[in-house]
Amino acid sequence: MNWQDIELLVTLYNTKNITHAANQLYVSQSTLSSRLHNLEKKYDIPIVLRKRRGITFTPEGVMLAKFAQNMQREHEKMREQLDNLQGAVAGTLRVGVSNFFALNKMPKLLRLFQREHPNVECHVITGWSSEMYRKLLNHDVHVVIIKGDYPWQEGKQLLYQESIVVASPWDFDWVDLPKLPRIDYHTDQTMKQTVDQWWYTKYKQEPFTNIYVNQVETCKEMIVNKLGYGIVTELVVQRNPDLVINPLITKDGELLTRPTWLYYGSDALTLNVVRAFIEFVSKVDVKRF
């Protein structure tokens, strides 16, 4: 199996779509289909089953794709070790980042980091914090920057804490909150559990949720346009001075907060590029970006 075959299998397995895989590999769909057909002939197995919407991998195809993924990982490790032997801060840094941090913090952070270390190539993957945590467990990334507390016994660094707040386009009394329209959004289970526990400790009624969106940034825009209030972390709405922002407080009088962590594996510290990134992040005030 050559390197082109490995890239084809990994990309196709990740996308489960001929068109998307062809676009990522910068080849035509016919070229990709032809190469896939040649692989099936070479190993004398069906690799994928074509359906009306996308494809599915056969059991034999899954085994081959997993092998290709392992080969790609081993190749990346070899390159990392070769770069590391040179003693310079160079090579590829793989970072998993939560959606909010990726949009609001990561561009400036990377720009400043690469200004100090121009020979580093950064591969950034974004998604829900829980997804990035799984990628760290699977060794798909060197480090992650995610919101919430996750079980992790290796390297970690607390970047900042932020309050969880009610952000509203109007002034409100806490007693009236269950009757006001609420905009909810998809978030990690840890955030949802924290907010739900606070709510049902304070109120017997269900919240009046009339809009549900996929991203917290969309939720913010709905709030700004006076469609309802939302329960978010403070940094989401800090640049919207017209909103009424009140922190959530427990029955014991404590502020509810949510941490943002940098997590990394101990083995990753053997790489100059990872050590340089962690040291750089520890020197900057990320919360103020």
Side-chain angles (χ1 to χ4, degrees), residues 59-108:
E60 299 93 334
V62 170
M63 183 179 295
L64 206 59
K66 294 290 187 183
F67 175 79
Q69 285 180 329
N70 289 333
M71 291 290 292
Q72 191 176 68
R73 288 194 190 100
E74 289 302 314
H75 182 261
E76 289 173 352
K77 288 180 182 178
M78 179 192 67
R79 287 189 58 186
E80 290 168 358
Q81 291 167 2
L82 288 174
D83 290 331
N84 211 51
L85 286 173
Q86 305 303 313
V89 179
T92 301
L93 174 71
R94 302 194 307 276
V95 188
V97 188
S98 69
N99 287 318
F100 176 82
F101 196 96
L103 180 63
N104 295 279
K105 307 286 186 184
M106 200 63 181
K108 183 177 180 180

Side-chain angles (χ1 to χ4, degrees), residues 196-215:
D196 285 350
Q197 184 176 4
W198 172 85
W199 182 275
Y200 291 110
T201 300
K202 191 173 182 67
Y203 303 109
K204 293 181 180 179
Q205 310 100 304
E206 296 277 340
F208 173 41
T209 303
N210 64 334
I211 298 176
Y212 188 89
V213 296
N214 194 45
Q215 295 277 358

Side-chain angles (χ1 to χ4, degrees), residues 109-134:
L109 186 66
L110 278 187
R111 176 169 57 84
L112 295 175
F113 176 68
Q114 291 191 310
R115 184 183 295 171
E116 285 193 14
H117 303 288
N119 296 320
V120 174
E121 179 181 336
C122 295
H123 290 184
V124 180
I125 303 171
T126 67
W128 308 118
S129 291
S130 54
E131 295 172 348
M132 298 304 101
Y133 173 64
R134 286 194 294 272

